[in-house]
């Protein structure tokens, strides 16, 4: 069989090369172009056409050509913005951060700061997963609110903050509840009390106080006889704490039954009216203290 050798047909080779070059798209030509003005104009054309991935690549290429020039902050901002519009959130956050480090006084810096914050928020995880990104985002939102008290984005920031804090509260409750579900009642009491220690105003406060009392009761119930009395007395303290704060709770009926069994186990009687009144006063003082702490927290934010 006769072999076809291109080197014997130089004109054909040149024609094929010319055809290959002519098949390159305008985008590919501009991406490798050294003509900064033409590439700059074309990058914005791609951006306006909502071809954000191509625009990002063009602005990235331009950033190496415009470094140190008056166009550099614009190129770097639109590079990050193209990433953001293309939903490449992690790259966008990194590029907004780099832009703000280089050009904190740029006309684009205010918008870039918020968009970086929005990238951080979008990169957080649902409550079951690692919440360190949520904590970092909460800190960044707090800083933004303090630095921009008149921003028209404050409502959005507060919604993001509420969502992230809600995830932390839900995760903390779920982690503590896991001990209860595993029937490790002593660890359950400790874990739930730690949740309240970290955030006394958690929306799960009623549930937590119930599970503290219930865990305490079950711990006493499963203890050896020699230790039951002291542990039932500990439950009674948690019971009084619960009913003093939440007398109308839907959990009250269940805890009342536990209370009756515990009193029978320790051979005790219902508390006197005087002791009950004293406990109610103590609960009221604690409630006022929590309200005061919440007000201080709101003022700080």
């Amino acid at each position: 069989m006769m072999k076809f050798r291109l080197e014997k047909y130089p004109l054909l080779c040149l024609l094929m090369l010319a055809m290959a070059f002519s098949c390159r798209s305008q985008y590919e030509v501009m991406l490798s172009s050294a003509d900064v003005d033409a590439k700059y104009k074309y990058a914005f054309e791609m951006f306006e056409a909502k071809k954000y991935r191509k625009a990002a690549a063009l602005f990235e290429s331009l950033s190496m050509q415009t470094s140190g020039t008056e166009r550099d902050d614009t190129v770097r901002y639109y590079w990050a913005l193209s990433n953001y519009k293309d939903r490449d959130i992690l790259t966008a956050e990194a590029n907004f951060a780099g832009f703000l480090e280089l050009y904190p006084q740029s006309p684009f810096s205010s918008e870039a700061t918020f968009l970086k914050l929005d990238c951080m928020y979008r990169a957080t995880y649902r409550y079951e997963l690692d919440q360190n990104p949520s904590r970092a985002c909460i800190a960044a939102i707090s800083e933004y609110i303090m630095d921009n008290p008149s921003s028209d984005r404050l409502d959005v920031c507060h919604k993001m903050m509420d969502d992230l804090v809600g995830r932390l509260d839900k995760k903390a409750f779920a982690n503590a509840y896991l001990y209860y579900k595993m029937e490790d009642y002593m660890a359950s009491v400790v874990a739930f009390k730690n949740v309240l220690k970290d955030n006394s105003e958690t929306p799960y406060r009623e549930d937590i106080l119930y599970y503290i009392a219930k865990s305490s009761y079950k711990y006493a119930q499963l203890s050896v006889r020699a230790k039951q009395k002291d542990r039932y007395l500990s439950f009674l303290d948690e019971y009084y704490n619960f009913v003093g704060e939440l007398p109308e709770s839907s959990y009250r009926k269940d805890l009342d039954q536990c209370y009756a069994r515990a009193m029978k186990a320790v051979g005790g009687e219902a508390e006197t009216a005087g002791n009950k009144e004293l406990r109610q006063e103590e609960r009221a003082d604690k409630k006022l203290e929590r309200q005061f702490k919440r007000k201080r927290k709101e003022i700080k934010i």
Side-chain angles (χ1 to χ4, degrees):
M1 182 182 291
M2 184 178 289
K3 292 184 178 180
F4 182 75
R5 293 180 177 276
L6 284 175
E7 60 268 23
K8 292 184 178 181
Y9 303 93
L11 291 178
L12 181 58
C13 291
L14 290 173
L15 180 61
M16 292 176 68
L17 288 172
M19 289 177 64
F21 182 78
S22 65
C23 289
R24 293 179 68 196
S25 66
Q26 184 181 8
Y27 165 73
E28 291 171 324
V29 172
M30 294 306 303
L31 189 61
S32 59
S33 173
D35 188 336
V36 175
D37 291 337
K39 185 185 289 187
Y40 185 83
K41 180 181 178 182
Y42 188 70
F44 277 102
E45 288 177 4
M46 290 292 99
F47 184 86
E48 293 299 327
K50 299 183 179 180
K51 297 179 180 179
Y52 299 120
R53 191 163 303 178
K54 290 183 176 180
L58 288 161
F59 284 121
E60 180 179 6
S61 178
L62 272 169
S63 69
M64 294 181 283
Q65 297 169 306
T66 60
S67 180
T69 70
E70 61 180 13
R71 286 179 172 176
D72 194 41
D73 68 323
T74 301
V75 167
R76 290 182 180 276
Y77 171 73
Y78 275 94
W79 176 15
L81 186 59
S82 297
N83 296 140
Y84 179 82
K85 295 281 189 180
D86 192 40
R87 299 183 182 179
D88 186 356
I89 299 303
L90 295 179
T91 304
E93 181 186 341
N95 284 339
F96 279 128
F99 165 81
L100 290 167
E101 185 176 349
L102 287 172
Y103 301 105
Q105 303 303 320
S106 168
F108 301 112
S109 63
S110 177
E111 184 72 6
T113 300
F114 176 78
L115 291 177
K116 175 178 174 288
L117 193 66
D118 190 50
C119 288
M120 293 179 69
Y121 173 71
R122 291 169 185 263
T124 56
Y125 308 124
R126 63 181 189 270
Y127 83 92
E128 301 98 327
L129 303 177
D130 178 25
Q131 290 304 301
N132 283 328
S134 295
R135 294 185 183 91
C137 191
I138 288 171
I141 292 172
S142 298
E143 184 177 352
Y144 181 86
I145 291 172
M146 291 177 65
D147 293 342
N148 303 274
S150 59
S151 171
D152 58 0
R153 299 283 185 44
L154 291 186
D155 286 344
V156 176
C157 288
H158 284 301
K159 286 179 181 178
M160 290 192 292
M161 178 82 85
D162 290 344
D163 178 47
L164 294 171
V165 170
R167 289 187 219 175
L168 295 181
D169 288 334
K170 192 170 184 178
K171 185 176 181 66
F173 175 80
N175 287 346
Y177 180 72
L178 185 60
Y179 289 109
Y180 180 85
K181 195 172 181 180
M182 294 168 59
E183 300 183 359
D184 188 347
Y185 297 118
M186 184 176 183
S188 173
V189 170
V190 173
F192 278 121
K193 286 188 175 182
N194 283 338
V195 174
L196 290 181
K197 184 178 179 181
D198 292 337
N199 180 15
S200 62
E201 299 302 321
T202 172
Y204 299 95
R205 183 177 180 84
E206 180 177 352
D207 303 277
I208 289 171
L209 290 174
Y210 166 73
Y211 281 112
I212 288 174
K214 189 72 173 181
S215 296
S216 184
Y217 172 78
K218 285 181 175 289
Y219 183 56
Q221 190 180 41
L222 296 173
S223 296
V224 296
R225 186 174 296 277
K227 295 183 177 181
Q228 277 189 330
K229 183 173 182 179
D230 286 342
R231 291 173 181 176
Y232 274 125
L233 289 173
S234 294
F235 158 73
L236 293 176
D237 285 338
E238 304 299 349
Y239 169 81
Y240 293 136
N241 185 52
F242 183 91
V243 298
E245 183 174 329
L246 300 160
E248 305 300 324
S249 171
S250 59
Y251 290 125
R252 177 71 184 269
K253 183 177 180 181
D254 181 36
L255 290 182
D256 281 348
Q257 292 174 350
C258 296
Y259 171 78
R261 297 189 199 104
M263 291 297 289
K264 184 177 180 180
V266 299
E269 299 178 357
E271 65 178 346
T272 65
N275 286 340
K276 185 175 181 180
E277 184 177 347
L278 179 61
R279 287 183 182 278
Q280 288 176 338
E281 290 177 357
E282 290 173 350
R283 303 296 181 268
D285 289 341
K286 288 183 180 179
K287 186 175 182 180
L288 288 173
E289 183 180 353
R290 288 195 304 275
Q291 291 174 344
F292 177 69
K293 287 181 179 178
R294 184 174 68 250
K295 290 294 183 184
R296 286 183 61 186
K297 186 177 179 181
E298 290 173 354
I299 293 171
K300 185 178 181 181
I301 292 177

Short mmCIF file of all heavy atoms in Angstrom, two decimals, residues 7-8 22 24 36 42 46-47 90 127 143 149 152 157 162 165 168 172 177 190 206 211 215 235 238 242 259 282:
data_model
loop_
_atom_site.label_atom_id
_atom_site.label_comp_id
_atom_site.label_asym_id
_atom_site.label_seq_id
_atom_site.Cartn_x
_atom_site.Cartn_y
_atom_site.Cartn_z
N GLU A 7 5.10 15.68 3.81
CA GLU A 7 6.26 16.51 3.49
C GLU A 7 6.47 16.65 1.99
O GLU A 7 7.17 17.55 1.52
CB GLU A 7 7.52 15.94 4.15
CG GLU A 7 7.88 14.52 3.74
CD GLU A 7 7.27 13.50 4.67
OE1 GLU A 7 6.26 13.86 5.32
OE2 GLU A 7 7.82 12.40 4.79
N LYS A 8 5.84 15.78 1.22
CA LYS A 8 5.95 15.87 -0.25
C LYS A 8 5.00 16.91 -0.82
O LYS A 8 5.05 17.22 -2.01
CB LYS A 8 5.66 14.51 -0.88
CG LYS A 8 6.72 13.46 -0.58
CD LYS A 8 6.42 12.17 -1.31
CE LYS A 8 7.51 11.13 -1.06
NZ LYS A 8 7.23 9.87 -1.81
N SER A 22 -7.76 29.41 11.07
CA SER A 22 -9.00 30.14 10.80
C SER A 22 -10.17 29.57 11.59
O SER A 22 -11.18 30.24 11.79
CB SER A 22 -9.32 30.11 9.31
OG SER A 22 -9.58 28.80 8.88
N ARG A 24 -10.08 28.73 14.73
CA ARG A 24 -10.04 29.19 16.12
C ARG A 24 -11.13 30.24 16.34
O ARG A 24 -11.32 31.14 15.52
CB ARG A 24 -8.68 29.79 16.46
CG ARG A 24 -7.55 28.78 16.48
CD ARG A 24 -6.23 29.48 16.80
NE ARG A 24 -6.23 29.98 18.17
CZ ARG A 24 -5.35 30.88 18.61
NH1 ARG A 24 -4.46 31.39 17.79
NH2 ARG A 24 -5.38 31.28 19.87
N VAL A 36 -4.07 44.47 24.82
CA VAL A 36 -4.80 44.68 26.08
C VAL A 36 -6.12 45.39 25.86
O VAL A 36 -7.15 45.02 26.43
CB VAL A 36 -3.93 45.46 27.08
CG1 VAL A 36 -4.72 45.79 28.34
CG2 VAL A 36 -2.69 44.66 27.45
N TYR A 42 -13.36 43.08 24.85
CA TYR A 42 -14.03 41.80 24.57
C TYR A 42 -14.45 41.09 25.87
O TYR A 42 -15.50 40.46 25.92
CB TYR A 42 -13.09 40.89 23.76
CG TYR A 42 -13.75 39.64 23.27
CD1 TYR A 42 -14.72 39.69 22.27
CD2 TYR A 42 -13.41 38.40 23.80
CE1 TYR A 42 -15.33 38.52 21.81
CE2 TYR A 42 -14.03 37.23 23.35
CZ TYR A 42 -14.99 37.30 22.35
OH TYR A 42 -15.60 36.15 21.91
N MET A 46 -18.23 39.77 26.78
CA MET A 46 -18.59 38.45 27.28
C MET A 46 -19.38 38.57 28.59
O MET A 46 -20.34 37.84 28.82
CB MET A 46 -17.33 37.61 27.50
CG MET A 46 -16.61 37.17 26.24
SD MET A 46 -17.57 35.96 25.26
CE MET A 46 -18.28 37.07 24.02
N PHE A 47 -18.96 39.50 29.44
CA PHE A 47 -19.65 39.70 30.72
C PHE A 47 -21.08 40.18 30.48
O PHE A 47 -22.03 39.67 31.08
CB PHE A 47 -18.89 40.71 31.58
CG PHE A 47 -19.47 40.91 32.95
CD1 PHE A 47 -19.12 40.07 34.00
CD2 PHE A 47 -20.40 41.92 33.19
CE1 PHE A 47 -19.67 40.23 35.26
CE2 PHE A 47 -20.95 42.09 34.45
CZ PHE A 47 -20.59 41.25 35.49
N LEU A 90 -16.19 29.52 45.70
CA LEU A 90 -14.91 29.47 46.41
C LEU A 90 -13.86 30.33 45.71
O LEU A 90 -13.10 31.06 46.36
CB LEU A 90 -14.43 28.02 46.53
CG LEU A 90 -15.30 27.10 47.38
CD1 LEU A 90 -14.74 25.69 47.39
CD2 LEU A 90 -15.42 27.63 48.81
N TYR A 127 -26.67 22.09 59.10
CA TYR A 127 -26.33 22.04 60.52
C TYR A 127 -25.65 20.75 60.96
O TYR A 127 -24.87 20.74 61.91
CB TYR A 127 -27.59 22.29 61.38
CG TYR A 127 -28.44 21.07 61.62
CD1 TYR A 127 -28.23 20.27 62.74
CD2 TYR A 127 -29.45 20.71 60.73
CE1 TYR A 127 -29.01 19.14 62.97
CE2 TYR A 127 -30.23 19.58 60.95
CZ TYR A 127 -30.00 18.80 62.06
OH TYR A 127 -30.76 17.68 62.29
N GLU A 143 -18.81 42.09 61.86
CA GLU A 143 -17.85 43.15 61.51
C GLU A 143 -18.44 44.06 60.43
O GLU A 143 -18.30 45.29 60.50
CB GLU A 143 -16.55 42.53 61.03
CG GLU A 143 -15.46 43.55 60.73
CD GLU A 143 -14.15 42.92 60.31
OE1 GLU A 143 -14.03 41.68 60.39
OE2 GLU A 143 -13.25 43.65 59.89
N PRO A 149 -23.04 50.73 59.36
CA PRO A 149 -24.32 50.82 60.08
C PRO A 149 -25.47 51.39 59.24
O PRO A 149 -26.63 51.20 59.59
CB PRO A 149 -23.99 51.75 61.26
CG PRO A 149 -22.81 52.54 60.79
CD PRO A 149 -22.01 51.61 59.93
N ASP A 152 -27.67 49.53 53.06
CA ASP A 152 -29.00 49.04 52.70
C ASP A 152 -29.03 47.51 52.65
O ASP A 152 -30.05 46.92 52.29
CB ASP A 152 -29.45 49.62 51.36
CG ASP A 152 -28.48 49.31 50.22
OD1 ASP A 152 -27.46 48.63 50.48
OD2 ASP A 152 -28.74 49.75 49.08
N CYS A 157 -28.11 40.97 55.88
CA CYS A 157 -27.10 40.50 56.83
C CYS A 157 -27.74 39.88 58.06
O CYS A 157 -27.29 38.83 58.54
CB CYS A 157 -26.19 41.66 57.23
SG CYS A 157 -25.05 42.18 55.93
N ASP A 162 -29.24 35.28 61.40
CA ASP A 162 -30.27 34.46 62.07
C ASP A 162 -30.20 33.01 61.60
O ASP A 162 -30.34 32.08 62.40
CB ASP A 162 -31.66 35.04 61.81
CG ASP A 162 -31.89 36.35 62.53
OD1 ASP A 162 -31.12 36.66 63.46
OD2 ASP A 162 -32.84 37.07 62.16
N VAL A 165 -26.90 31.38 63.06
CA VAL A 165 -27.04 31.15 64.51
C VAL A 165 -28.03 30.02 64.76
O VAL A 165 -27.83 29.18 65.65
CB VAL A 165 -27.48 32.44 65.22
CG1 VAL A 165 -27.86 32.15 66.68
CG2 VAL A 165 -26.37 33.48 65.17
N LEU A 168 -26.27 26.76 64.34
CA LEU A 168 -25.43 26.45 65.51
C LEU A 168 -26.28 25.95 66.67
O LEU A 168 -25.91 24.99 67.36
CB LEU A 168 -24.63 27.68 65.93
CG LEU A 168 -23.59 28.21 64.94
CD1 LEU A 168 -22.87 29.41 65.53
CD2 LEU A 168 -22.58 27.13 64.57
N ALA A 172 -26.04 22.22 68.24
CA ALA A 172 -25.73 22.04 69.67
C ALA A 172 -26.79 21.19 70.35
O ALA A 172 -26.47 20.29 71.14
CB ALA A 172 -25.63 23.42 70.34
N TYR A 177 -28.66 15.94 72.42
CA TYR A 177 -29.75 14.96 72.38
C TYR A 177 -29.24 13.56 72.04
O TYR A 177 -29.83 12.56 72.45
CB TYR A 177 -30.81 15.40 71.37
CG TYR A 177 -31.97 14.44 71.26
CD1 TYR A 177 -32.91 14.34 72.29
CD2 TYR A 177 -32.12 13.61 70.15
CE1 TYR A 177 -33.96 13.45 72.20
CE2 TYR A 177 -33.17 12.71 70.06
CZ TYR A 177 -34.09 12.64 71.09
OH TYR A 177 -35.13 11.75 71.02
N VAL A 190 -25.03 16.89 81.37
CA VAL A 190 -23.88 17.78 81.23
C VAL A 190 -23.91 18.50 79.89
O VAL A 190 -23.71 19.72 79.80
CB VAL A 190 -22.56 16.99 81.39
CG1 VAL A 190 -21.36 17.89 81.06
CG2 VAL A 190 -22.44 16.43 82.80
N GLU A 206 -36.78 25.38 76.15
CA GLU A 206 -37.81 24.56 76.79
C GLU A 206 -37.50 23.07 76.65
O GLU A 206 -37.56 22.31 77.62
CB GLU A 206 -39.18 24.86 76.18
CG GLU A 206 -40.31 24.03 76.80
CD GLU A 206 -41.67 24.38 76.24
OE1 GLU A 206 -41.76 25.37 75.48
OE2 GLU A 206 -42.64 23.66 76.56
N TYR A 211 -35.28 17.92 78.83
CA TYR A 211 -34.39 16.76 78.72
C TYR A 211 -33.35 16.72 79.85
O TYR A 211 -32.88 15.65 80.22
CB TYR A 211 -33.71 16.75 77.36
CG TYR A 211 -34.61 16.23 76.27
CD1 TYR A 211 -35.08 17.07 75.27
CD2 TYR A 211 -35.02 14.90 76.28
CE1 TYR A 211 -35.93 16.59 74.29
CE2 TYR A 211 -35.88 14.41 75.29
CZ TYR A 211 -36.33 15.27 74.30
OH TYR A 211 -37.17 14.79 73.33
N SER A 215 -33.50 13.42 81.83
CA SER A 215 -32.25 12.65 81.92
C SER A 215 -31.87 12.41 83.37
O SER A 215 -31.41 11.32 83.75
CB SER A 215 -31.11 13.39 81.20
OG SER A 215 -31.37 13.50 79.82
N PHE A 235 -32.88 15.22 90.60
CA PHE A 235 -33.98 15.37 89.64
C PHE A 235 -35.00 16.38 90.14
O PHE A 235 -35.51 17.21 89.35
CB PHE A 235 -34.68 14.03 89.38
CG PHE A 235 -36.08 14.20 88.86
CD1 PHE A 235 -36.30 14.63 87.56
CD2 PHE A 235 -37.19 13.97 89.68
CE1 PHE A 235 -37.59 14.83 87.08
CE2 PHE A 235 -38.48 14.17 89.22
CZ PHE A 235 -38.69 14.60 87.90
N GLU A 238 -34.07 19.80 89.32
CA GLU A 238 -34.29 20.11 87.91
C GLU A 238 -35.78 20.26 87.60
O GLU A 238 -36.18 21.10 86.77
CB GLU A 238 -33.69 19.00 87.02
CG GLU A 238 -32.21 18.74 87.24
CD GLU A 238 -31.32 19.95 86.97
OE1 GLU A 238 -31.83 20.95 86.41
OE2 GLU A 238 -30.14 19.90 87.33
N PHE A 242 -37.65 23.57 86.14
CA PHE A 242 -38.48 23.55 84.93
C PHE A 242 -39.85 24.18 85.18
O PHE A 242 -40.28 25.08 84.45
CB PHE A 242 -38.64 22.11 84.43
CG PHE A 242 -39.42 22.01 83.15
CD1 PHE A 242 -38.78 22.05 81.93
CD2 PHE A 242 -40.81 21.88 83.18
CE1 PHE A 242 -39.50 21.98 80.74
CE2 PHE A 242 -41.53 21.80 82.00
CZ PHE A 242 -40.88 21.85 80.77
N TYR A 259 -42.14 13.32 88.83
CA TYR A 259 -42.04 13.96 90.15
C TYR A 259 -42.73 13.10 91.21
O TYR A 259 -42.18 12.87 92.30
CB TYR A 259 -42.66 15.35 90.09
CG TYR A 259 -42.83 16.03 91.41
CD1 TYR A 259 -41.75 16.64 92.06
CD2 TYR A 259 -44.08 16.08 92.03
CE1 TYR A 259 -41.91 17.28 93.28
CE2 TYR A 259 -44.25 16.71 93.25
CZ TYR A 259 -43.16 17.30 93.86
OH TYR A 259 -43.32 17.93 95.08
N GLU A 282 -36.77 32.98 92.96
CA GLU A 282 -35.44 32.69 92.41
C GLU A 282 -35.50 32.55 90.89
O GLU A 282 -34.63 33.03 90.17
CB GLU A 282 -34.89 31.41 93.02
CG GLU A 282 -34.52 31.55 94.50
CD GLU A 282 -34.14 30.22 95.12
OE1 GLU A 282 -34.34 29.19 94.46
OE2 GLU A 282 -33.62 30.22 96.25
#
